[in-house]
Amino acid sequence: MIWGVLQFPGSCDERDALHACEVHGDGARLLWHESRDLDGVDGVVVPGGFSYGDYLRAGAIARFSPAMEAVAEAAAGGMPVLGICNGFQVLCEAGLLPGALLRNVELRFRCHQVELIEEGTGERLSIPAKHGEGRYYAPDALLDEMETNGQIAYRYAEGHNSNGSVRDIAGVTNERGNVLGLMPHPEHAVDPLTGSTDGLRVFERMSGVAA
Amino acid sequence: MDTPKYRELGLTDSEYELIVEKLGREPNDVELAMFSLLWSEHCAYKHSRKLLGKLPTDGPRVVMGPGENAGAVDVGSGYAVAFKVESHNHPSAVEPFQGAATGVGGIMRDVFAIGARPIALLDSLRFGELDSVRSRHLLDGAVRGIGHYGNSIGVATVGGEIYFEEPYEHNCLVNAMCIGFAKTEDMVRAAAAGPGNSVVLMGASTGRDGIGGASVLASAELGEGDEAKRPTVQIGDPFEESKLLECCLELLEKGLLVSLQDLGAAGLTSSAGEMASAGGVGIEIDVAKVPLREADMEPFEIMVSESQERMLAVVEPARVEEVRAICEKWQTASAEIGKVTEDGLVRILRDDETVGEMPVEALVDGCPLYDLEPAEPEEWIYGNRATLEAGASPEEELLSLLSSPNIASKRWAFEQYDYLVGSRTVRRPEQADAAVLQLPEAGNAIAVSIDGNGRRVACDPYLGTIDAVLECAQNLACVGAEPLGLTNCLNFGNPEKPAGAWQLDQAVSGLADACNALGVPVVGGNVSLYNEGPDGPIYPTPVVALVGELPDPEQVAGSGFARDGDAIGLIGPFEPSLAASELAKQRGELKMGLPRPDVEAVARACEIVRDAVRAGKLSSAHDVSDGGLAVALAESAIAGGIGCEVNVEHLRERGAQPEEALFGEGPGGFVVSGERGALEELGATLLGKVGGDRIEIGAGDHSLGVSLADAASAFHSLPAQVEPEAS
């Protein structure tokens, strides 16, 4: 599987994501925000960072980029799209995922290792989280519908929901399941030297969508 | 008679006369503004430059030394690591969020100016005691500001230190360090070259922010009114810098720049003057071509503005279009604002009119350098409130030390920073004594530590500075790293006062002697003087930072005990003393004087620990620092989540009373754990073993025991002290 990683001005984790994609897949390349051409990739990562500075609202400007228009079209065709942190915020702003990300309940940026539980399999993953606006929110009725559709991908394990996300939600998918967004950073968990390799499970899940 | 403008701008009568002599006439307002800034302490180092000549700067691994935007050392395989520390103390004391944020932004520009990609940040912070609302406000603002800038630009903040001491109440210290990584052959110097080449200003537009001392001129022109109180603290924009950073690195990678320089203190004046001086050429700047935020800015304002996120480049005329195209790709503004000349003059134009013209030599290197007039104070010149009740038990003393904000975990602060971005962080904050970053490109790793206990330096500026360097070296040894180069930021009070002069003089001598003894070159530095409040000067605070190399990032010890049943040993010539210790502070017993360490013996101990870590012989390694041996043992226990049972009475042989053995401080001590046989081979003094859920320390009539849970709770009490209203 060949991955493309979007690069906006203000992206921070695009090189980390590129590296993680190289570790996991058959290759990876950066995709410039101004281009509508996805360069023949099989899946896209919308990486973390502060796209366009995020001075208005996290992800609010990036969703209008030419590259995101192309990603929306590809997602509608079933291409795997993984949004991490700011990428999750961009996908929510773009309407590719339901819900929104609000400021952390403690109103501070926080960087720490968290444990996630994959919905369905119950698998426990140790992955770092680092954000100031990661409190997932959606109205109750929508959440109920998402639960029924199996759109909750990951929840924070007990004691790990430090941002105040509703129903401990850390990551969600679209109805079809090919678009996944999560706040924690699987791309920072692909090397035992820097912490853990549990992040690779998230990339494997996405390549499963492709197959 | 009115005070002459030059005096309000900080120039002395004799300095002004010298300027008139060098110009052969009186300077106009533009020239006066430029001279007053470049002849300031901040730019000219006029009270410190003579002293700094003592520092050793040569070494086989030095790629760039003092005088460049940042120092750099060779890390092998054709790669270099660049690093520098700079202060942003006064702006942070006025507005901590923006002061600290722009401190981070400024130090990163120094590093990418030489063509290195910033890969890590560290910070050394000093505030007054946490029972002061002002100190809590400054701490919160500075930490948020550092996080805001570093997190947004995507450079990992991997370490640092914070101390809280009364003398910093009015004058906090915010020192930021940046580390960059580059292919050695791609690095550039800041010297302008090639008369006829274009001078291109890139990045943010120029506004009236941060005009600083020159606002005296502004107010003189504008008359009385609010305009005179223009904000002198700059505002940071990490998004602008993020684009500028990528843009500059791409320009350098494509070989499109002759030289590059950041705009920091004194703005265009300093960067243009220094580039011309370094290249032995002249430079011409047309202020009418500088993109402005406000249309009606005076030429002197444009020349001294400290608007952030700007870089100045020298470009061959034929490459200017290519440069501008890459700037457009990164949505970074650029403007051709002048050219390199061969007449050795800095010439300022507004369209066709010459509004200032000065010899580069006079402007940049003409400032007189002063000798200090040091005199040792007769006694302790700082206060010292007792906070620990007399007659406290050893257990109470240990818990009181662990909860001291100087010793307690700084997790509250570092979790507000992204310490992971870049995927290089092998040891996160508080996992080991130094931050460890892998360099897969070069096949090895580096370790970094930043240290500077001002209280020890206040007790003896010479020995206290040596101790700071040794502590830093010990931190590196704990992760198996060998020092390659040192940088520093000398934060002191007024050098024109005899006591301040003595502190500075002694500290620089200590720094020089320690670096010579360890064989470590000083590759750069920064000086921040006049750090005084209404109650007197700050503690003299030389902040030193070492960058070291370790061959294998797989072989790095942590500071926490790792295995039940491991033996615990003490390595090194540690001779504990309560002088300048945290316990002496809490008891209100601070006074002048420190014991003299055996620097050679400490250096040998560092080698033993470093080699043992590299050989994988140790389960943990942690240096004995603030709070002494008992605190070091407790920290290793808390970090590992496992207790220990030890006896420190062996230290009687070193002349230490039980209380000194527990809480005495001084350089040269390492608490290590591992196989008993391995520790014996290393010559460690065996203290006991790892295990259980208590910290039990035998010390004769001062023996103590506390539960691991109580110790951890004291050690993690910082959030409640920082945000008392929340708890």
Side-chain angles (χ1 to χ4, degrees):
Chain A
M1 176 166 181
I2 306 285
W3 286 96
V5 178
L6 296 196
Q7 187 178 27
F8 301 103
S11 290
C12 297
D13 302 309
E14 76 275 24
R15 286 183 189 78
D16 305 72
L18 195 67
H19 172 69
C21 289
E22 282 165 353
V23 170
H24 162 260
D26 305 311
R29 56 189 73 132
L30 289 174
L31 301 175
W32 188 240
H33 67 114
E34 286 180 320
S35 170
R36 299 184 105 272
D37 179 5
L38 296 182
D39 205 11
V41 300
D42 307 310
V44 168
V45 176
V46 190
F50 294 78
S51 51
Y52 301 96
D54 271 352
Y55 290 126
L56 174 59
R57 194 174 63 242
I61 296 185
R63 63 165 287 206
F64 293 109
S65 66
M68 273 307 296
E69 287 174 21
V71 167
E73 279 172 27
M79 180 186 277
V81 176
L82 172 61
I84 302 168
C85 195
N86 189 230
F88 186 13
Q89 295 160 342
V90 173
L91 294 175
C92 288
E93 287 285 339
L96 295 181
L97 289 174
L101 283 313
L102 310 179
R103 286 197 72 191
N104 293 356
V105 66
E106 287 182 356
L107 304 181
R108 283 185 195 278
F109 181 98
R110 188 162 178 211
C111 177
H112 63 147
Q113 197 77 13
V114 297
E115 300 210 342
L116 304 181
I117 294 170
E118 187 175 43
E119 196 80 349
T121 66
E123 189 179 13
R124 206 173 168 99
L125 306 177
S126 174
I127 290 180
K130 45 166 206 179
H131 52 253
E133 297 182 36
R135 176 158 57 103
Y136 186 74
Y137 177 78
D140 265 330
L142 176 58
L143 288 168
D144 291 343
E145 197 180 310
M146 289 166 66
E147 304 248 15
T148 309
N149 295 341
Q151 287 177 252
I152 312 300
Y154 299 100
R155 293 186 210 261
Y156 297 104
E158 196 180 339
H160 290 262
N161 178 8
S162 62
N163 59 31
S165 288
V166 62
R167 300 190 192 182
D168 296 327
I169 291 171
V172 302
T173 69
N174 61 352
E175 269 192 70
R176 187 168 175 174
N178 64 313
V179 180
L180 167 67
L182 78 172
M183 285 314 295
H185 288 259
E187 83 283 19
H188 289 325
V190 300
D191 177 358
L193 258 185
T194 56
S196 81
T197 55
D198 289 358
L200 286 171
R201 303 287 296 122
V202 177
F203 288 90
E204 283 160 15
R205 174 187 173 122
M206 294 311 287
S207 60
V209 170
Chain B
M1 196 187 125
D2 287 346
T3 310
K5 272 184 197 169
Y6 67 81
R7 261 197 232 158
E8 290 190 40
L9 291 171
L11 292 167
T12 65
D13 292 353
S14 64
E15 285 167 352
Y16 183 75
E17 282 162 23
L18 189 60
I19 292 169
V20 173
E21 186 189 312
K22 283 178 183 284
L23 290 181
R25 59 180 167 80
E26 304 255 334
N28 64 26
D29 277 357
V30 175
E31 293 159 346
L32 185 59
M34 292 173 66
F35 269 105
S36 74
L37 285 171
L38 285 193
W39 285 28
S40 69
E41 182 62 45
H42 193 86
C43 294
Y45 292 71
K46 56 192 174 187
H47 287 96
S48 58
R49 191 177 286 190
K50 286 190 174 183
L51 290 179
L52 298 176
K54 292 180 193 173
L55 301 175
T57 56
D58 293 331
R61 307 286 289 267
V62 177
V63 175
M64 279 191 191
E68 295 296 336
N69 279 309
V73 293
D74 178 11
V75 291
S77 309
Y79 289 93
V81 164
F83 53 101
K84 191 174 186 190
V85 185
E86 240 175 34
S87 67
H88 230 213
N89 302 336
H90 292 137
S92 301
V94 176
E95 209 300 283
F97 181 92
Q98 291 295 346
T102 53
V104 171
I107 195 65
M108 273 195 280
R109 286 194 299 281
D110 277 321
V111 164
F112 70 77
I114 64 172
R117 174 175 287 279
I119 58 169
L121 296 163
L122 294 91
D123 308 278
S124 180
L125 311 178
R126 301 290 183 282
F127 303 97
E129 299 288 351
L130 276 177
D131 55 11
S132 141
V133 174
R134 177 183 159 80
S135 293
R136 296 199 298 271
H137 160 71
L138 291 175
L139 168 70
D140 184 56
V143 168
R144 283 181 192 270
I146 289 165
H148 167 68
Y149 212 103
N151 299 345
S152 302
I153 203 167
V155 176
T157 301
V158 297
E161 46 153 25
I162 314 179
Y163 281 95
F164 303 89
E165 305 278 359
E166 195 86 48
Y168 304 111
E169 169 77 20
H170 292 281
N171 196 130
C172 64
L173 301 184
V174 172
N175 290 186
M177 175 178 192
C178 181
I179 297 164
F181 184 61
K183 272 190 192 156
T184 310
E185 62 180 18
D186 290 347
M187 296 172 72
V188 286
R189 295 183 186 268
N197 281 344
S198 294
V199 175
V200 177
L201 179 63
M202 299 182 289
S205 54
T206 298
R208 287 196 169 104
D209 47 335
I211 282 185
S215 57
V216 172
L217 288 167
S219 62
E221 285 173 10
L222 290 164
E224 302 295 317
D226 287 346
E227 298 95 322
K229 294 172 187 159
R230 284 183 175 134
T232 55
V233 177
Q234 312 89 328
I235 306 297
D237 180 352
F239 177 54
E240 187 69 43
E241 180 134 318
S242 163
K243 294 183 297 175
L244 185 60
L245 157 67
E246 296 298 340
C247 177
C248 287
L249 291 179
E250 184 169 341
L251 289 169
L252 289 169
E253 192 190 319
K254 298 203 158 130
L256 294 174
L257 305 183
V258 174
S259 63
L260 184 63
Q261 167 90 21
D262 76 302
L263 276 74
L268 264 178
T269 293
S270 162
S271 50
E274 284 172 11
M275 280 179 114
S277 170
V281 293
I283 199 163
E284 192 174 280
I285 303 281
D286 182 352
V287 295
K289 291 182 176 157
V290 174
L292 301 179
R293 271 175 221 171
E294 297 165 83
D296 59 345
M297 286 176 68
E298 294 296 324
F300 82 84
E301 292 179 307
I302 297 168
M303 287 309 297
V304 304
S305 161
E306 294 187 358
S307 289
Q308 299 291 291
E309 291 93 24
R310 298 180 299 161
M311 301 288 285
L312 197 63
V314 173
V315 183
E316 289 170 17
R319 318 297 295 264
V320 169
E321 278 317 305
E322 284 172 86
V323 168
R324 300 202 59 164
I326 288 174
C327 288
E328 270 172 38
K329 171 186 165 187
W330 288 104
Q331 301 176 357
T332 290
S334 62
E336 232 183 312
I337 63 163
K339 60 178 195 240
V340 177
T341 63
E342 52 194 356
D343 58 13
L345 298 173
V346 174
R347 185 178 302 107
I348 310 305
L349 306 171
R350 179 161 58 185
D351 295 319
D352 297 330
E353 175 198 2
T354 298
V355 294
E357 190 174 270
M358 302 140 278
V360 172
E361 184 279 331
L363 183 65
V364 180
D365 302 312
C367 180
L369 302 181
Y370 298 108
D371 288 310
L372 300 183
E373 291 173 14
E376 181 175 352
E378 284 175 12
E379 54 186 21
W380 180 249
I381 58 171
Y382 302 93
N384 181 202
R385 286 185 288 164
T387 53
L388 185 66
E389 282 178 32
S393 69
E395 284 86 359
E396 287 165 340
E397 289 176 333
L398 176 61
L399 294 177
S400 171
L401 290 172
L402 286 173
S403 62
S404 156
N406 290 339
I407 292 173
S409 166
K410 307 299 184 291
R411 183 184 290 173
W412 173 86
F414 72 70
E415 283 195 345
Q416 297 186 52
Y417 310 143
D418 179 351
Y419 45 79
L420 298 169
V421 60
S423 299
R424 297 184 184 276
T425 314
V426 174
R427 283 292 177 275
R428 300 178 183 184
E430 290 187 1
Q431 286 184 337
D433 282 27
V436 179
L437 300 161
Q438 61 172 340
L439 306 175
E441 303 88 336
N444 56 0
I446 54 165
V448 199
S449 179
I450 187 165
D451 296 281
N453 181 334
R455 192 193 321 128
R456 294 189 77 79
V457 183
C459 289
D460 186 321
Y462 175 77
L463 295 175
T465 304
I466 289 179
D467 289 355
V469 178
L470 294 179
E471 155 124 42
C472 212
Q474 287 186 237
N475 286 337
L476 257 56
C478 286
V479 295
E482 179 177 10
L484 297 179
L486 177 145
T487 192
N488 64 92
C489 186
L490 302 174
N491 305 273
F492 284 76
N494 185 344
E496 297 171 58
K497 293 181 183 171
W502 176 75
Q503 290 175 333
L504 181 60
D505 180 61
Q506 291 285 304
V508 175
S509 295
L511 182 58
D513 288 353
C515 289
N516 278 319
L518 295 176
V520 177
V522 177
V523 299
N526 179 235
V527 179
S528 171
L529 304 179
Y530 303 95
N531 291 290
E532 307 219 354
D535 304 327
I538 59 162
Y539 278 157
T541 312
V543 167
V544 299
L546 279 174
V547 171
E549 179 197 15
L550 53 156
D552 181 1
E554 304 264 2
Q555 293 293 351
V556 180
S559 58
F561 293 140
R563 236 173 13 196
D564 195 0
D566 266 349
I568 298 171
L570 176 67
I571 292 178
F574 177 55
E575 292 185 4
S577 157
L578 289 182
S581 67
E582 186 71 26
L583 186 63
K585 173 197 170 180
Q586 293 197 0
R587 287 175 170 171
E589 292 174 352
L590 291 177
K591 55 179 196 284
M592 295 300 284
L594 280 181
R596 180 174 291 267
D598 181 343
V599 179
E600 306 291 339
V602 177
R604 282 196 299 277
C606 284
E607 273 178 46
I608 290 170
V609 172
R610 180 201 312 152
D611 291 346
V613 169
R614 288 180 175 189
K617 287 181 185 166
L618 299 177
S619 304
S620 73
H622 183 34
D623 93 308
V624 181
S625 175
D626 305 318
L629 188 51
V631 164
L633 288 160
E635 286 172 340
S636 288
I638 294 164
I642 185 164
C644 61
E645 189 175 347
V646 298
N647 195 307
V648 299
E649 286 196 87
H650 309 283
L651 273 81
R652 260 185 215 279
E653 292 160 21
R654 307 184 188 199
Q657 295 303 308
E659 189 171 58
E660 292 170 317
L662 286 173
F663 305 120
E665 300 177 15
F670 294 90
V671 169
V672 298
S673 67
E675 299 281 349
R676 184 187 171 105
L679 299 197
E680 280 171 342
E681 263 176 48
L682 298 173
T685 303
L686 293 179
L687 301 178
K689 63 178 174 35
V690 173
D693 57 4
R694 291 183 61 77
I695 296 164
E696 295 285 352
I697 307 178
D701 56 359
H702 277 68
S703 295
L704 66 86
V706 297
S707 74
L708 192 55
D710 286 349
S713 151
F715 188 63
H716 290 295
S717 64
L718 192 62
Q721 299 182 61
V722 177
E723 301 178 270
E725 22 330 287
S727 55

